[in-house]
Amino acid sequence: MEKLTITDTFGGPKRKGERTRERILEIASQSILEKGFGATSIEEIICEAGLTKSGFFYHFSDKNELARALLQRYIEQDDEILDQVFDRARELVDDPLHQLLAALKMLAEVLEDLPNGHPGCIVAVYCYQERLFDKEVRDLNRHAVLAWRTRFRAILDDIADQYQTTEPVDLEQVADMISTVLEGGIVMSKALNEPRKLADQVMLLRSFLKLLFTQ
């Protein structure tokens, strides 16, 4: 199986204002993943981006608007990666179980290629510090997690149409487990300073799902 190359859909030509906005988001994202949202100030983002305060507030009216934009950006990038991985798996094989196994293997390879490991998850950061955000941000974060459930549940339902499970399981719980392994793998890899840990956990998840379904 050929190695998947993830296409950066956010790297196309941008106007100056769009480039400035994207630079603010990139700087803010890196800072928040390193030390949290509360410890990241607008002033340091402005300084790093080489902007004036008016330049920052032209793009974001306050820190909650920045938070919403960061979360939406992360969700879109995450969805794009998963779409590319699973679309490629569907091109390679017709069987839904083999599609899932192929997609997880390609995802593990993508994650393994990250030189410093996965940078972290904005969704998780927002969960830990949810009191800092307004209801719109909290609702968007919840929607992101439910979207993961919906995505993986649909895949598992397709598999269950052709395969039985070796043990009685709730497929919605299995769908949530896929998200849990991905998120937990990010935490483990960062806590242990082992960049490969996430890819290893994805491959272990792949083995579990292979054992769970039988024709």
Side-chain angles (χ1 to χ4, degrees):
M1 184 186 300
E2 67 181 79
K3 205 164 189 176
L4 178 69
T5 300
I6 295 297
T7 302
D8 180 7
T9 59
F10 297 88
K14 294 181 175 68
R15 291 176 297 182
K16 183 178 179 181
E18 294 173 335
R19 291 197 302 270
T20 300
R21 187 176 191 275
E22 180 62 23
R23 176 157 171 75
I24 292 170
L25 290 172
E26 184 61 29
I27 291 168
S29 177
Q30 290 176 4
S31 180
I32 288 165
L33 290 172
E34 288 174 3
K35 59 185 182 181
F37 190 80
T40 297
S41 69
I42 290 176
E43 287 72 20
E44 69 178 277
I45 296 171
I46 289 171
C47 181
E48 179 69 21
L51 296 172
T52 61
K53 279 193 175 183
S54 61
F56 175 88
F57 288 114
Y58 172 81
H59 294 282
F60 306 101
S61 61
D62 57 26
K63 207 173 174 186
N64 258 292
E65 186 176 340
L66 174 64
R68 285 191 292 275
L70 280 168
L71 182 55
Q72 189 61 56
R73 174 179 181 265
Y74 180 86
I75 292 168
E76 291 172 0
Q77 290 176 337
D78 188 66
D79 284 345
E80 183 62 26
I81 291 171
L82 291 175
D83 285 345
Q84 290 187 44
V85 166
F86 281 95
D87 287 349
R88 181 58 180 147
R90 293 185 190 99
E91 291 174 0
L92 293 172
V93 289
D94 295 325
D95 181 278
L97 175 58
H98 293 163
Q99 287 173 358
L100 176 57
L101 298 179
L104 290 174
K105 187 173 189 302
M106 287 187 285
L107 180 59
E109 291 173 348
V110 169
L111 295 169
E112 192 173 3
D113 282 345
L114 297 175
N116 299 310
H118 195 287
C121 177
I122 292 288
V123 171
V125 171
Y126 283 23
C127 285
Y128 299 143
Q129 301 182 353
E130 64 175 9
R131 292 186 180 182
L132 298 175
F133 308 109
D134 62 21
K135 185 177 184 299
E136 186 177 348
V137 173
R138 295 195 301 271
D139 287 347
L140 181 59
N141 211 34
R142 182 174 184 272
H143 174 77
V145 175
L146 290 175
W148 293 339
R149 173 188 288 174
T150 299
R151 175 192 289 271
F152 296 130
R153 176 61 192 266
I155 293 168
L156 293 170
D157 283 341
D158 287 344
I159 296 171
D161 287 341
Q162 298 187 32
Y163 292 83
Q164 294 181 338
T165 57
T166 55
E167 295 287 338
V169 294
D170 181 336
L171 290 183
E172 189 164 288
Q173 296 291 343
V174 178
D176 286 344
M177 187 190 73
I178 296 174
S179 299
T180 301
V181 169
L182 293 171
E183 292 300 304
I186 294 172
V187 173
M188 290 290 291
S189 65
K190 293 185 79 66
L192 299 176
N193 194 26
E194 296 179 9
R196 285 179 51 94
K197 180 63 69 177
L198 176 55
D200 291 343
Q201 289 296 301
V202 170
M203 289 304 293
L204 190 59
L205 170 66
R206 180 181 183 274
S207 297
F208 169 79
L209 292 169
K210 188 176 182 180
L211 292 170
L212 179 63
F213 291 99
T214 181
Q215 201 160 22

